[in-house]
Amino acid sequence: MDDFTGAAQVAQLRRTVTRKGRRTVEIVCLITSADARTAPPELLAAWVQSHWEIENRLHWVRDVPFDEDRSQVRTGNAPQVMGGLRNIAITLLRLQGHQNSAAALRHHARGTDRPVNLFLSA
């Protein structure tokens, strides 16, 4: 535990994942400074679930429909600015009721007035 100063609890999480029709079991180790009284198994599970909720609601959308990982913008403040603009676009699409970001982006790409109207209607 020398490498994990402050660690009070180690837990193992097993989850069943289905990808392309194939089921596998993943085992994940969790390390936390919260002891077992402060963070019982139910709370640890809630923390993991909330992490994936954030990952799925924002990071995945930025990575896949916006293809952020292949962005050529790498210098100065430009990466942060572009990330902020992507977040604004995601927020505006969600406020307009779009659940599927990829479909919403395709919809707005088909009409030059649609992105402007989206922005002005917010």
Side-chain angles (χ1 to χ4, degrees):
M1 283 292 223
D2 291 338
D3 293 341
F4 297 98
T5 305
Q9 183 177 188
V10 176
Q12 184 182 77
L13 171 74
R14 293 174 182 233
R15 58 182 165 221
T16 303
V17 179
T18 304
R19 287 190 187 106
K20 298 180 181 178
R22 187 168 171 237
R23 293 176 61 152
T24 58
V25 175
E26 292 181 351
I27 298 174
V28 178
C29 293
L30 310 170
I31 300 172
T32 178
S33 59
D35 63 27
R37 286 185 310 273
T38 308
E42 300 80 20
L43 184 57
L44 291 176
W47 287 348
V48 170
Q49 186 175 13
S50 68
H51 164 79
W52 284 107
E53 182 178 326
I54 292 167
E55 181 68 26
N56 290 333
R57 285 201 39 89
L58 180 60
H59 299 146
W60 182 88
V61 173
R62 285 178 54 175
D63 290 345
V64 178
F66 282 93
D67 206 12
E68 187 174 57
D69 288 345
R70 291 193 319 158
S71 174
Q72 297 294 307
V73 178
R74 299 196 195 324
T75 59
N77 292 326
Q80 289 82 7
V81 171
M82 288 304 299
L85 291 172
R86 289 182 189 104
N87 288 346
I88 290 169
I90 293 165
T91 300
L92 291 174
L93 292 171
R94 288 185 177 154
L95 286 172
Q96 198 178 51
H98 293 281
Q99 300 297 317
N100 183 323
S101 295
L105 290 171
R106 287 190 301 272
H107 168 78
H108 285 80
R110 286 192 295 267
T112 56
D113 61 325
R114 291 177 183 170
V116 174
N117 290 336
L118 175 68
F119 184 73
L120 294 175
S121 68

